[in-house]
């Protein structure tokens, strides 16, 4: 991946924010059905409605040529998309892109970790909400903890420079595992971020207001054992990081409810159907699939559509766990 010259930043919105980070959902499908992300019975999109790998590459190339420096591949589970290794290798070779990363549930990493690393991926996020096999199965509905633990080992063995765990903490479900998850990360020198559950999509498993657990509560639980010192460095993402005196592990908090991070938002998302989504908490979007399919190979039109889209990036999102979800998209469509 080039650390060399960058393209000038041309994606600047009405509030002066530069967009240099894009999350691309490469599939809506997944081998898990996490209770906060999906309903038990999901209908996935027909193939024709999903961007092809070539179309994803065109969109990614246009974005990088407009100044995007970091791309995260996500989903659904990105590793269940056939051809993902080839896509990673192609995007990993894009001049001007500093970082190609992925968020994965880890279940397929024993198979793919080496090829992702060879394709130029240096960092990976792996979701892990529980270390107890039965509870893990309950939260993911179809997942097996031992497979994910093997995936984490495979990522370590493949030599990723940084591996970060992501845990969505829910009251009454897994908030009693916060310290165990921190210990797990410390023992393996991994980073870990704790995520507040977001009201995306109508789910059947629980009322989100009941399970909501704020980052401040999680922070307080950890601080009782380890004093947390705010980290000075920033990453391109929404995590707010802390360090412990005796470990390389960084602890992050992603707090869409309690600490709104909109004022420094530098990112957009491309959904699995090729909609450019300007904000996770709003419906403002532009249909890029229409542009790539109507004008095949015309990167000028595609880039103009991306530049024009900056005009409709909303200033902020509002989430309220006590109301009916205003956002009916599920996270797997959006690319979490
Ligand atoms: N399947 C991959 C995984 O689970 O890591 C990537 C996609 S998943 C949608 C990305 C991240 O979003 C995961 O860490 C998951 O825990 C988180 N997530 C999903 N639904 C969420 C929700 N409603 N609120 C907060 N985080 C959510
Ligand atoms: Fe699949 Fe990730 Fe959603 Fe869980 S959070 S159902 S692993 S996409």
């Amino acid at each position: 991946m080039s650390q060399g010259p960058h393209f000038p930043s041309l994606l600047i919105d009405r509030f002066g924010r530069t967009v240099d980070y894009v999350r691309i959902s490469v599939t809506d499908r997944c081998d898990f059905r996490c209770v906060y992300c999906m309903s038990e019975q999901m209908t996935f999109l027909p193939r024709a409605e999903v961007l092809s790998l070539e179309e994803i590459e065109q969109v990614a190339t246009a974005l990088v040529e407009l100044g995007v420096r970091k791309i995260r591949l996500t989903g659904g589970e990105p590793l269940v998309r056939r051809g993902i290794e080839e896509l990673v290798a192609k995007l990993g070779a894009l001049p001007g892109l500093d970082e190609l990363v992925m968020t994965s549930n880890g279940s397929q990493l024993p198979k793919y970790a080496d090829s992702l690393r060879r394709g130029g991926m240096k960092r990976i996020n792996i979701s892990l909400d529980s270390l107890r096999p039965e509870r893990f199965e309950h939260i993911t509905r179809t997942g097996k903890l031992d497979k994910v633990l093997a995936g984490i080992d495979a990522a370590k063995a493949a030599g990723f420079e940084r591996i970060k765990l992501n845990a969505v903490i829910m009251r009454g479900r897994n908030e009693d595992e916060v310290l165990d998850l921190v210990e797990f990360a410390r023992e393996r020198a991994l980073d870990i971020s704790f995520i507040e559950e977001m009201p995306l999509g109508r789910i059947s498993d629980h009322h989100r207001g009941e399970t909501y657990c704020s980052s401040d509560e999680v922070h307080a639980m950890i601080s009782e054992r380890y004093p947390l010192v705010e980290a000075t460095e920033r990453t391109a993402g929404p995590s707010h990081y802390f360090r412990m005196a005796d470990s390389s592990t960084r602890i992050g908090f992603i707090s869409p409810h309690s600490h709104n991070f909109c004022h420094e938002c530098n990112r957009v998302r491309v959904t699995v159907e090729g909609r450019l989504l300007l904000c996770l908490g709003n419906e403002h979007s532009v249909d890029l699939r229409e542009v790539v399919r109507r004008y095949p190979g015309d990167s000028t039109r595609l880039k103009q559509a991306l530049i024009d889209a900056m005009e409709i990036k909303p200033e902020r999102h509002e989430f309220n766990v006590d109301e009916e979800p205003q956002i009916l998209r599920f996270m797997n469509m959006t690319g979490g």
Side-chain angles (χ1 to χ4, degrees):
M1 199 163 317
S2 115
Q3 298 288 337
H6 294 118
F7 290 96
S9 301
L10 296 178
L11 299 178
I12 301 174
D13 78 357
R14 289 173 297 149
F15 306 99
R17 296 171 299 190
T18 298
V19 169
D20 56 10
Y21 175 14
V22 180
R23 302 166 81 110
I24 302 180
S25 175
V26 298
T27 178
D28 58 337
R29 288 160 202 262
C30 187
D31 49 345
F32 293 3
R33 297 283 183 279
C34 301
V35 292
Y36 47 73
C37 178
M38 295 194 181
S39 58
E40 197 151 14
Q41 303 301 330
M42 290 291 287
T43 314
F44 295 108
L45 289 166
R47 184 183 265 260
E49 290 182 25
V50 171
L51 285 191
S52 68
L53 294 177
E54 292 70 30
E55 289 166 340
I56 294 175
E57 192 187 338
Q58 282 170 38
V59 169
T61 306
L63 285 162
V64 172
E65 290 178 2
L66 292 171
V68 164
R69 312 259 175 102
K70 173 171 174 180
I71 292 179
R72 176 175 301 282
L73 300 179
T74 176
E77 173 48 39
L79 296 179
V80 305
R81 176 89 197 240
R82 202 168 302 147
I84 188 72
E85 295 159 285
E86 291 76 25
L87 180 69
V88 165
K90 285 194 174 136
L91 301 192
L94 283 180
L97 185 66
D98 290 343
E99 275 197 278
L100 176 64
V101 295
M102 179 178 279
T103 304
S104 166
N105 66 24
S107 68
Q108 312 291 316
L109 277 174
K111 189 164 159 202
Y112 290 117
D114 280 332
S115 61
L116 299 180
R117 188 69 192 90
R118 273 199 307 277
M121 196 173 279
K122 296 193 194 109
R123 299 196 300 120
I124 189 158
N125 291 355
I126 305 173
S127 299
L128 181 67
D129 299 326
S130 174
L131 293 165
R132 302 182 194 174
E134 267 182 34
R135 185 183 277 182
F136 185 88
E137 260 179 59
H138 185 80
I139 294 176
T140 59
R141 290 199 185 102
T142 55
K144 293 270 181 269
L145 178 64
D146 54 356
K147 274 194 173 179
V148 172
L149 297 182
I152 294 171
D153 289 344
K156 283 223 69 146
F160 281 89
E161 287 172 14
R162 281 206 102 99
I163 301 170
K164 186 175 75 141
L165 304 176
N166 278 339
V168 175
I169 298 300
M170 291 166 286
R171 186 179 310 289
R173 298 292 168 97
N174 63 347
E175 97 272 31
D176 54 343
E177 283 194 70
V178 166
L179 286 172
D180 291 347
L181 287 163
V182 169
E183 290 307 332
F184 180 89
R186 284 168 56 95
E187 281 159 17
R188 289 162 185 77
L190 313 174
D191 292 336
I192 181 162
S193 278
F194 293 99
I195 307 178
E196 290 177 354
E197 185 180 356
M198 285 176 265
L200 295 174
R202 204 171 270 132
I203 51 167
S204 53
D205 180 77
H206 56 270
H207 186 277
R208 298 197 200 255
E210 285 160 19
T211 48
Y212 174 65
C213 184
S214 75
S215 289
D216 288 347
E217 289 168 78
V218 176
H219 183 287
M221 288 180 216
I222 302 169
S223 307
E224 279 186 22
R225 186 174 301 173
Y226 300 109
L228 294 178
V229 180
E230 199 164 347
T232 43
E233 76 269 20
R234 294 284 307 165
T235 63
S239 272
H240 187 181
Y241 281 106
F242 292 79
R243 284 188 178 279
M244 294 165 282
D246 59 345
S247 164
S248 63
T249 291
R250 292 186 305 173
I251 298 190
F253 296 94
I254 303 180
S255 325
H257 298 281
S258 54
H259 300 280
N260 187 291
F261 39 63
C262 301
H263 62 285
E264 54 187 30
C265 179
N266 61 337
R267 53 200 166 273
V268 293
R269 291 173 160 78
V270 179
T271 73
V272 69
E273 298 161 288
R275 267 203 303 149
L276 181 77
L277 201 61
L278 282 309
C279 170
L280 185 57
N282 284 283
E283 298 288 3
H284 302 63
S285 70
V286 171
D287 187 354
L288 300 177
R289 187 182 71 191
E290 209 263 332
V291 181
V292 291
R293 291 192 181 169
R294 186 185 296 193
Y295 308 104
D298 187 342
S299 69
T300 309
R301 277 192 201 259
L302 181 55
K303 285 188 197 165
Q304 195 56 51
L306 291 165
I307 291 171
D308 293 347
M310 292 300 114
E311 284 302 307
I312 59 164
K313 184 165 165 62
E315 188 171 11
R316 53 182 292 127
H317 68 243
E318 304 287 349
F319 284 138
N320 186 344
V321 282
D322 296 319
E323 285 174 11
E324 276 289 284
Q326 297 96 330
I327 304 295
L328 296 177
R329 287 179 261 110
F330 283 101
M331 193 71 153
N332 67 312
M333 303 285 294
T334 311

